[in-house]
Amino acid sequence: YVPNVFSPNGDLTNDLWNIVPVFVKDYHLKVFNRWGEMVYDTDDKKQLWDGYFRGAKPFDDVFIYQIMYTGWDKSTHYTYGNVTLLK
């Protein structure tokens, strides 16, 4: 499961974003801004994105994500989509 919106505004509700790693053994997540610049990259399925990029505060925008993951049955999957950041 991949949420499609989060709001890093400090209210402790949906302040961080990542996949819900059900039946995911290994994965690689990349997030890109609208200009194709990679703003987030991780192999750690427990690491959550706070919306910051290069130390700058998050701003309202839509980002594209790419995920490559391996299930416990050793099958490899690829998925992509978008996530909206709202302040």
Side-chain angles (χ1 to χ4, degrees):
Y1 172 71
V2 183
N4 63 355
V5 66
F6 74 116
S7 60
N9 57 11
D11 67 357
L12 302 178
T13 302
N14 296 321
D15 283 340
L16 302 171
W17 180 83
N18 199 354
I19 70 165
V20 177
V22 178
F23 304 113
V24 174
K25 182 178 178 187
D26 298 307
Y27 96 126
H28 189 126
L29 167 68
K30 296 178 183 180
V31 180
F32 301 89
N33 63 19
R34 66 179 62 224
W35 299 279
E37 185 176 19
M38 189 179 336
V39 297
Y40 183 69
D41 182 28
T42 186
D43 289 329
D44 183 353
K45 63 185 175 184
K46 295 180 183 178
Q47 184 176 344
L48 305 174
W49 184 38
D50 60 5
Y52 280 75
F53 174 57
R54 294 187 181 162
K57 287 188 172 188
F59 55 91
D60 292 354
D61 208 347
V62 176
F63 297 89
I64 305 300
Y65 64 82
Q66 294 178 336
I67 304 170
M68 186 282 304
Y69 65 96
T70 304
W72 288 99
D73 62 353
K74 297 186 171 100
S75 60
T76 300
H77 305 272
Y78 300 89
T79 189
Y80 61 91
N82 61 60
V83 58
T84 303
L85 188 154
L86 299 173
K87 290 272 312 191

